[in-house]
Amino acid sequence: MTDDELADLGGHADLADAVRTLSLERKVRLLTGATAWRTYDEPAIGLRSIVVSDGPIGVRGQGWDERSTSLTLPSPSALAATWDEGLVARLGELLAAEARRKGVDVLLAPTINLHRSALGGRHFECYSEDPLLTARIGAAYIRGVQSRGVAATAKHYVANDSETERLTLDARVDERTLREVYMPPFEAAVQAGVWVVMSAYNGVNGATMSENPLLAEPLKGEWGFDGMVVSDWGAVRSTVPAGRAAQDLAMPGPDGPWGDALLAAVRAGEVPEEAIDEKVLRLLRLATRVGALGTGEAPPSGPLDPANDAPTRALLRETVVASTVLVRNERALLPLDPARLRRVALIGPSAAAPRIQGGGSAGVYPVSSVSPLEGLSDALAGRAEVTHAAGIHIPGRPTPLGLDAARDPLTGEPGLRVRLLSATGEELHSERRYTGNVLETAIVEGSHTVEISARLRPPVSGLWDLAVAGWGHVRLDADGVTLIDDEVGRDTDDPATVHLHPPYRHAALELTEGREVELVAWRRLDPDSGLASVLAADPPVRDAGELLAEAVDLARASDAVILVIGTTEETESEGYDRADLRLPGGQDELVRAVAAANPDTVVVVNAGGPVAMPWREEVPALLLSWFPGQEYGHGLADVLLGACEPGGRLPTTWADEALVGTTPVGGVLEYTEGLHIGHRGRLRGGEAPSYWFGHGLGYTTWAYETVLAPERVEPGRPFTARVRLRNTGGRAGAELVQVYLSRPESEVERPVRWLAGFARAQAAPGESVEVAVEVQARALEHWSPGLGWQAEPGMFTVHAGGSADDLPLTTKTWSGDGPSA
């Protein structure tokens, strides 16, 4: 590549100079990670390592260590439920501050894939079923993160919308559907200036994404993306095809299919050196943006003590309120009047131990966590008694030992002792840990075995379930007696399973309350078996009938019931999709029994995506709280007691059954529904869903009065729809005004209607307000293969209202030349 070509490519002569000064060997070295979470440095040009970290709800840092805690935001599905770009941008700034506090340059978020199927196991980590909503929320997140000099990563490009066979499936998506549905969030990310895009595991239309021509066009060509393409971890599977493609960085490292093999391929003429130069230049451009190239000042860090940073906690609490969706409120049961409450029942396992985040690679260790039980108890302290009953036991993975019941055998402090041993049993490393779920240990040369030991003081007597997890040879002793001794063969290549969820082996042991038992677990550290090792213990399970009766009695004796139900990590997590949308563990029966015992029952669903709710018409009030982050309990109490109005609206349609599946056939997943995903598919006919996309109630009521739009819109030009509505209730509130378009007489296939814009209205009781909703030109266009974006002339109907199925106002606008009537 000539000097002029390098300069043109980089846009910065100094970057071109840097590329030119490096030997081929040094350039190729930079294109594979130095570790799982860092790139290589290159002192000769002033380049330090770039540090990356998983997101999107927190910055974990380099690796998995429960002693390194993180601020924990609500899940992306919750962020999309806010429909609030300003709030999401503020959260992005907070994450950037956290990244700098932890020495992180690149946050591996946001995930802007779509909720194609309700069965998708990673719903919680994606925003919504709609391309426009996902695009706008994702772009706001990116702007917030990058405003503080930390790179955001738009992932996973593209059509990575399910977990079943995710490493190998080939998504077959027609060109128009790609352009109109699955690519718009990525195009919006590029327009927002995103610095990194991650290529997905899956293939699209016959080519795996790390080798796919879609990386060049439209990403780097038509859209003008000038940042770096990083692979998902392990997604680069070839040397020459991926090396020739517009894939820039292969992660993790230091092993992989590039390195010496790529160097040889360049020397053999199989990969042009110009391709290597472009990859390196893009990496250096990223380094410049995050302050890793040169000697610029380090960007400011975040709070040194985030757990005690009041503004931070207030922002996370505000987000819980803004994302909570009230979908049903008969008899205006909510908000509850604290003055009328003497006894409140919190029922359900999730009331005391909720899921505040989803499972998988995006997980973090929270700095704190407020349960609904704690939050409501704080809010009603001195005014009402708050009591709890689990009601049911939900089967799931064993519970890792923690600080509550385990002591370090060496020091006697709460926690566990983790040691690395050589093949001869020599101790190479020893440390105290806070949990028996040890996903990573120190890396010590010669390590052969990881040992986890703890003294367990059982809080109850009975037959305990003891368990150990890991790949390879595992063993568990209790007071010197071997209970488990087994060989566990690795049967998967999925990183989420290998590194986060190794299989368990179980043993039952009778234990006595208060009498300590010393547990010691070992796992052999085989090559390519990951580092994850787990020591877990669960007490005897109480009788199901006894648990249910206790909950019903408590409900009957209380003024109001807050029943918190939800999914488990076994039903909703990265690495696998759901078989169906049913709640696990008899929770449907619990809802019906409790609601029958107390007519003032509020059900709160703690799940990242849709669940079946066959009892929804049997309860007076129903809230959807998603995976709401560390301030869950406080934010939920604000909503329940009326300190704040629930601000959320559904970012995806909720139904008892999914419209489309996630299981490939012969390795191929056909997107046969085309443009018609989510509410678009439901609008074509069939059974109505439980709750439509966009639905959500507040604590007041609204009347939609008028909608106005221009009589004619020029092709390629945006327009503004003006919607007037009145607050008809007795309380100030906010309403999310949604505008949809339709064109039933179109000569091209279109959805029944599609979201075109949205804005929020706020008004005092009796006040009428007008909201301006901007509709971009793209909303009136369609993609035509071979021709590109086209504006079909003709009449479009403009719909305005509160959800995809509640649109009381309509008007018309003519797009294009010719007659308007």
Side-chain angles (χ1 to χ4, degrees):
M1 182 173 288
T2 67
D3 290 354
D4 289 342
E5 287 173 331
L6 269 176
D8 288 344
L9 179 64
H12 298 282
D14 52 343
L15 297 186
D17 288 342
V19 174
R20 187 170 48 250
T21 61
L22 295 176
S23 67
L24 178 61
E25 291 87 348
R26 305 303 286 180
K27 288 187 290 189
V28 168
R29 173 178 172 271
L30 290 174
L31 301 182
T32 296
T35 70
W37 306 108
R38 302 177 74 99
T39 64
Y40 280 106
D41 63 359
E42 185 52 71
I45 59 173
L47 174 67
R48 66 164 172 82
S49 293
I50 298 172
V51 178
V52 306
S53 172
D54 273 320
I57 51 92
V59 184
R60 191 174 61 246
Q62 297 183 69
W64 296 82
D65 190 328
E66 72 281 359
R67 296 164 297 185
S68 175
T69 59
S70 306
L71 290 172
T72 307
L73 280 62
S75 63
S77 55
L79 299 191
T82 70
W83 295 60
D84 188 335
E85 294 154 277
L87 176 60
V88 171
R90 288 164 59 201
L91 293 167
E93 293 176 13
L94 176 62
L95 286 170
E98 268 281 270
R100 286 309 180 191
R101 182 175 72 89
K102 293 196 166 197
V104 168
D105 302 300
V106 178
L107 186 63
L108 300 175
T111 301
I112 51 177
N113 301 115
L114 298 185
H115 296 172
R116 173 181 173 264
S117 168
L119 299 173
R122 214 168 177 176
H123 257 26
F124 61 87
E125 198 178 328
C126 307
Y127 290 122
S128 82
E129 70 185 23
D130 186 80
L132 176 65
L133 177 58
T134 296
R136 287 178 57 171
I137 296 298
Y141 183 103
I142 289 164
R143 288 192 295 269
V145 170
Q146 295 188 171
S147 70
R148 299 288 186 91
V150 173
T153 305
K155 66 181 190 183
H156 310 82
Y157 186 75
V158 61
N160 183 245
D161 310 297
S162 57
E163 295 296 282
T164 306
E165 300 180 27
R166 65 177 181 151
L167 302 184
T168 57
L169 76 82
D170 183 29
R172 299 287 173 84
V173 196
D174 68 79
E175 184 179 338
R176 185 181 174 202
T177 298
L178 268 177
R179 286 291 194 148
E180 292 191 24
V181 179
Y182 297 99
M183 283 185 168
F186 290 95
E187 185 175 6
V190 174
Q191 292 170 349
V194 72
W195 294 342
V196 182
V197 168
M198 180 185 288
S199 58
Y201 285 126
N202 58 283
V204 173
N205 297 330
T208 191
M209 279 310 305
S210 59
E211 305 168 11
N212 202 292
L214 293 173
L215 293 175
E217 291 293 346
L219 179 61
K220 290 183 175 179
E222 176 189 330
W223 297 347
F225 174 61
D226 69 351
M228 185 191 74
V229 174
V230 63
S231 72
D232 205 340
W233 267 225
V236 172
R237 284 81 172 249
S238 68
T239 300
V240 173
R244 295 180 65 91
Q247 176 72 53
D248 299 317
L249 176 66
M251 291 293 286
D255 300 320
W258 282 3
D260 290 342
L262 182 57
L263 179 63
V266 175
R267 286 175 170 161
E270 298 173 302
V271 175
E273 187 168 355
E274 289 81 359
I276 303 301
D277 289 342
E278 178 173 356
K279 298 176 197 301
V280 172
L281 189 138
R282 287 176 178 270
L283 184 145
L284 296 184
R285 186 183 291 125
L286 172 65
T288 299
R289 287 166 167 167
V290 301
L293 185 63
T295 57
E297 293 185 8
S301 66
L304 295 179
D305 186 5
N308 293 313
D309 184 68
T312 293
R313 297 197 315 274
L315 175 58
L316 299 183
R317 183 171 179 165
E318 175 189 346
T319 308
V320 175
V321 171
S323 63
T324 299
V325 184
L326 176 62
V327 294
R328 181 174 170 83
N329 194 21
E330 299 301 299
R331 300 186 279 110
L333 177 60
L334 290 178
L336 300 173
D337 183 356
R340 298 190 178 190
L341 299 175
R342 295 294 177 268
R343 191 181 197 196
V344 178
L346 267 289
I347 295 178
S350 298
R355 291 188 74 191
I356 66 169
Q357 61 179 317
S361 63
V364 299
Y365 299 101
V367 297
S368 61
S369 178
V370 183
S371 71
L373 177 60
E374 293 167 324
L376 204 61
S377 296
D378 288 348
L380 292 175
R383 294 190 287 178
E385 177 188 10
V386 178
T387 53
H388 174 252
I392 56 171
H393 169 74
I394 303 175
R397 290 195 182 101
T399 306
L401 284 174
L403 297 173
D404 51 347
R407 292 192 300 125
D408 180 348
L410 181 64
T411 67
E413 297 174 279
L416 303 91
R417 176 61 42 177
V418 175
R419 299 197 304 156
L420 295 177
L421 308 177
S422 70
T424 59
E426 177 189 1
E427 180 184 293
L428 303 178
H429 176 80
S430 177
E431 61 183 351
R432 173 173 161 253
R433 299 294 292 261
Y434 301 162
T435 173
N437 186 24
V438 182
L439 298 181
E440 288 185 351
T441 63
I443 305 298
V444 179
E445 186 176 354
S447 296
H448 176 271
T449 303
V450 60
E451 175 193 275
I452 308 174
S453 59
R455 291 177 185 163
L456 169 64
R457 184 180 295 273
V460 297
S461 298
L463 193 64
W464 279 64
D465 177 43
L466 306 180
V468 60
W471 304 101
H473 181 250
V474 296
R475 177 179 159 188
L476 175 64
D477 285 7
D479 284 340
V481 178
T482 299
L483 304 179
I484 298 170
D485 192 345
D486 200 3
E487 193 76 27
V488 182
R490 176 175 157 181
D491 57 3
T492 179
D493 291 326
D494 194 312
T497 303
V498 172
H499 299 290
L500 303 179
H501 299 302
Y504 283 89
R505 296 296 184 265
H506 296 258
L509 184 65
E510 191 75 29
L511 298 179
T512 302
E513 178 184 351
R515 182 177 176 183
E516 279 193 345
V517 58
E518 183 160 344
L519 303 177
V520 185
W522 294 272
R523 180 174 86 84
R524 188 180 64 231
L525 293 171
D526 293 339
D528 300 320
S529 67
L531 296 174
S533 307
V534 188
L535 175 58
D538 285 287
V541 177
R542 291 178 58 192
D543 177 75
E546 179 183 313
L547 284 170
L548 182 59
E550 181 180 81
V552 168
D553 289 345
L554 178 60
R556 194 174 287 121
S558 301
D559 299 315
V561 176
I562 312 302
L563 174 55
V564 187
I565 57 176
T567 59
T568 66
E569 194 165 353
E570 290 72 46
T571 56
E572 195 176 8
S573 176
E574 179 185 357
Y576 46 84
D577 295 315
R578 290 189 275 177
D580 55 52
L581 301 182
R582 290 178 295 178
L583 287 164
Q587 293 182 89
D588 291 338
E589 291 78 4
L590 176 65
V591 172
R592 288 189 162 114
V594 170
N598 190 321
D600 290 342
T601 293
V602 179
V603 176
V604 181
V605 180
N606 176 205
V611 300
M613 301 180 292
W615 36 259
R616 62 185 177 277
E617 301 294 330
E618 302 170 35
V619 299
L622 179 55
L623 287 162
L624 311 180
S625 65
W626 316 101
F627 296 147
Q630 66 184 57
E631 290 296 317
Y632 184 17
H634 288 149
L636 181 61
D638 289 341
V639 168
L640 292 170
L641 300 178
C644 301
E645 182 182 47
R649 301 296 185 266
L650 284 181
T652 198
T653 303
W654 278 50
D656 288 353
E657 294 182 353
L659 273 182
V660 295
T662 60
T663 303
V665 177
V668 173
L669 186 60
E670 297 279 1
Y671 283 43
T672 54
E673 72 283 356
L675 306 173
H676 310 285
I677 75 166
H679 61 284
R680 297 177 177 190
R682 299 280 176 184
L683 287 168
R684 290 209 295 176
E687 185 177 348
S690 304
Y691 299 104
W692 285 92
F693 172 79
H695 173 68
L697 307 172
Y699 288 155
T700 188
T701 54
W702 298 86
Y704 281 79
E705 297 178 338
T706 60
V707 58
L708 299 174
E711 291 186 6
R712 184 188 296 273
V713 178
E714 295 181 30
R717 303 279 294 183
F719 73 89
T720 300
R722 301 190 177 278
V723 182
R724 179 163 291 277
L725 64 165
R726 183 180 301 275
N727 182 345
T728 57
R731 171 175 172 150
E735 171 74 342
L736 182 76
V737 178
Q738 300 161 50
V739 168
Y740 296 75
L741 297 179
S742 67
R743 185 148 190 243
E745 297 81 18
S746 176
E747 294 184 3
V748 298
E749 181 186 12
R750 296 182 186 271
V752 174
R753 53 182 171 269
W754 59 96
L755 182 68
F758 54 89
R760 196 169 294 271
Q762 293 183 321
E767 183 182 7
S768 180
V769 294
E770 184 179 271
V771 177
V773 180
E774 297 297 321
V775 177
Q776 296 301 311
R778 184 65 60 81
L780 296 164
E781 298 173 345
H782 65 277
W783 180 265
S784 178
L787 298 175
W789 290 104
Q790 300 293 300
E792 181 189 25
M795 190 71 76
F796 287 77
T797 301
V798 180
H799 309 260
S803 80
D805 194 54
D806 179 20
L807 300 166
L809 302 179
T810 62
T811 188
K812 304 283 188 179
T813 189
W814 181 273
S815 174
D817 300 324
S820 59

